[in-house]
Amino acid sequence: GAVVSQHPSRVICKSGTSVKIECRSLDFQATTMFWYRQFPKQSLMLMATSNEGSKATYEQGVEKDKFLINHASLTLSTLTVTSAHPEDSSFYICSASSRGSGTGYTFGSGTRLTVV
Amino acid sequence: DAKTTQPTSMDCAEGRAANLPCNHSTISGNEYVYWYRQIHSQGPQYIIHGLKNNETNEMASLIITEDRKSSTLILPHATLRDTAVYYCIVRVPQAGTALIFGKGTTLSVSS
């Protein structure tokens, strides 16, 4: 089946630094990728949608200059948290879908970000 | 996407069937019912989906009422590894649009 690899699984960074999270579709081409954020004991919240080769579409309230998303190829999307602060500490999850598959959403295993 | 209502939490004994309900009274004719689950600190996992007929796969069964206003996900023989948050999502399948998650049901399976 379709596999999405997300790295790193957990990262600790100092306040003010940037962190990059990678999301790769291993055995299919992902025309669209989605990034979610999940705080403890809460549901997944959609942050942005990215289509290969175009700018990401951010949900209301998500700062596009803080959460940089790049989807330069059909198998790789990256989320960079710039100038991270402790309130950015969260569980970040990516998801990928392929063209023509309305039901085929595959999720990465998530990245636990802790900003100290 | 139609709104869904699920119980906050449920308990189930290991080996017994777990029946997770979902209410979607405003579902429209072309919306499917999807179920995903999220085990702690992992990404969501697809379980099953259906339009109006009951569906079964190796993981679970999905029972949709005739009026399609509610459905039940059935895990026939729950194990400890089925402890997770279960999400019922109702939507029109459309490539390129994101899944929107509600609060889901926390299922706790105990021995």
Side-chain angles (χ1 to χ4, degrees):
Chain A
V3 176
V4 170
S5 175
Q6 185 173 343
H7 291 282
S9 58
R10 68 179 60 231
V11 57
I12 300 173
C13 72
K14 291 185 176 180
S15 188
T17 62
S18 296
V19 174
K20 180 184 284 188
I21 302 170
E22 289 191 351
C23 181
R24 293 181 184 273
S25 57
L26 297 186
D27 49 3
F28 68 103
Q29 293 184 328
T31 51
T32 306
M33 288 190 174
F34 310 96
W35 289 94
Y36 295 83
R37 179 169 53 181
Q38 185 175 34
F39 292 109
K41 298 189 185 301
Q42 294 187 21
S43 186
L44 289 81
M45 290 175 48
L46 180 67
M47 298 176 67
T49 299
S50 73
N51 292 294
E52 183 265 337
S54 61
K55 290 184 178 180
T57 301
Y58 291 81
E59 295 299 300
Q60 192 171 9
V62 178
E63 300 175 57
K64 63 180 181 180
D65 294 330
K66 180 170 184 63
F67 299 99
L68 302 179
I69 292 172
N70 184 286
H71 191 168
S73 77
L74 285 171
T75 60
L76 174 64
S77 177
T78 60
L79 167 67
T80 302
V81 183
T82 63
S83 187
H85 291 285
E87 57 264 32
D88 298 324
S89 298
S90 188
F91 191 55
Y92 292 86
I93 305 167
C94 69
S95 174
S97 70
S98 57
R99 185 178 291 125
S101 172
T103 62
Y105 295 86
T106 305
F107 289 82
S109 54
T111 297
R112 175 77 58 193
L113 171 63
T114 303
V115 184
V116 297
Chain B
D1 298 350
K3 180 181 164 75
T4 62
T5 303
Q6 299 178 252
T8 301
S9 63
M10 294 184 66
D11 295 318
C12 179
E14 190 177 21
R16 304 298 292 265
N19 298 288
L20 291 87
C22 179
N23 183 288
H24 33 78
S25 58
T26 60
I27 190 171
S28 60
N30 58 349
E31 288 183 308
Y32 283 68
V33 180
Y34 296 84
W35 284 85
Y36 283 77
R37 74 179 182 184
Q38 185 182 24
I39 295 170
H40 183 63
S41 292
Q42 296 183 23
Q45 175 189 25
Y46 165 80
I47 301 173
I48 198 167
H49 75 282
L51 181 63
K52 53 184 177 181
N53 297 323
N54 297 336
E55 303 288 344
T56 296
N57 63 20
E58 65 278 4
M59 289 184 68
S61 294
L62 173 61
I63 308 298
I64 303 174
T65 58
E66 192 169 340
D67 63 8
R68 303 209 320 125
K69 293 184 177 182
S70 65
S71 60
T72 301
L73 178 74
I74 301 173
L75 307 179
H77 305 287
T79 70
L80 298 179
R81 288 178 294 181
D82 292 321
T83 293
V85 180
Y86 287 77
Y87 298 97
C88 169
I89 300 171
V90 172
R91 71 192 302 268
V92 176
Q94 184 175 4
T97 60
L99 290 176
I100 303 301
F101 292 83
K103 295 182 179 180
T105 297
T106 298
L107 174 68
S108 299
V109 181
S110 57
S111 57

